[in-house]
Amino acid sequence: MNFLAHLTLSYFEPDLQVGNFLGDFVKGARVHLLPPPIKRGIHMHRAIDSLTDHDEDVRALNQLLKPRHGRYAGVITDIGFDYHLWRNWEEFGPAPFSEFTQSTYASLYGRREEMNERVRGYVNQMVKDDWLRLYTSREGMAKVFGRLEPRLSKPELLEGINDTLVDFHEEFNQTFLALFPRLQTLANAYRPDATPTD
């Protein structure tokens, strides 16, 4: 799962949402220096990723993508699921999309003191360019993958990604519809009145 799904699943608690955003950026001992609610969000982020990576439906979809995209199949499904979350927002979104994005940006922007300079730069850019809205269109998705390419050691494996998203549209959507309720069940265990995980 990518930004939109992580932030959606943790929308019910701002600090948990911040931790979910930081999950890909904060490693090792630095996690233990963060406030407990944010640290809990990082644990939630990793649990979401683990469930997704081990899900049999997701693994089957990755196998369909591997002949075209090799080792980046899992990266593509993670990002692609955000587009399908938007397509199914009426069923799974916790608030109207504009309300959701503005509240989310405010949560992230308000906790920048917990972030290093690099991550603060990401947040500033996310808010300025409304990154979450990129997941709502094919054109936006092309920009997401285009932004990813320079960070990959084999960017050529993303060639034809737009065709892949069209060719496997139904497989993506059906896999997402099977997976996301499982992730919602996981997320419920991290609600403020649930038993702590750390």
Side-chain angles (χ1 to χ4, degrees), residues 67-131:
R68 296 188 186 188
H69 302 290
R71 67 191 188 190
Y72 296 136
V75 175
I76 291 167
T77 54
D78 277 352
I79 296 172
F81 286 146
D82 273 12
Y83 173 69
H84 287 274
L85 172 55
W86 155 251
R87 288 191 70 251
N88 293 282
W89 193 258
E90 186 172 328
E91 180 176 356
F92 295 116
F97 193 72
S98 292
E99 177 185 324
F100 166 82
T101 57
Q102 293 310 305
S103 174
T104 296
Y105 294 152
S107 294
L108 296 177
Y109 202 80
R111 297 308 300 267
R112 287 176 301 154
E113 74 278 3
E114 307 295 347
M115 307 171 188
N116 62 34
E117 184 176 352
R118 172 173 166 259
V119 180
R120 284 198 298 271
Y122 277 120
V123 170
N124 291 340
Q125 207 63 40
M126 174 182 270
V127 174
K128 178 177 176 289
D129 294 338
D130 196 5
W131 281 5

Side-chain angles (χ1 to χ4, degrees), residues 10 49 58 60 73 75 77 79 102 130 132 138 144 148 175 186:
S10 54
D49 284 353
V58 175
V75 175
T77 54
I79 296 172
Q102 293 310 305
D130 196 5
L132 296 178
R138 294 284 187 199
V144 172
L148 175 64
T175 303
L186 182 155

Side-chain angles (χ1 to χ4, degrees), residues 6-19:
H6 279 286
L7 293 167
T8 298
L9 288 163
S10 54
Y11 182 69
F12 54 82
E13 174 58 52
D15 282 346
L16 201 67
Q17 202 176 32
V18 172

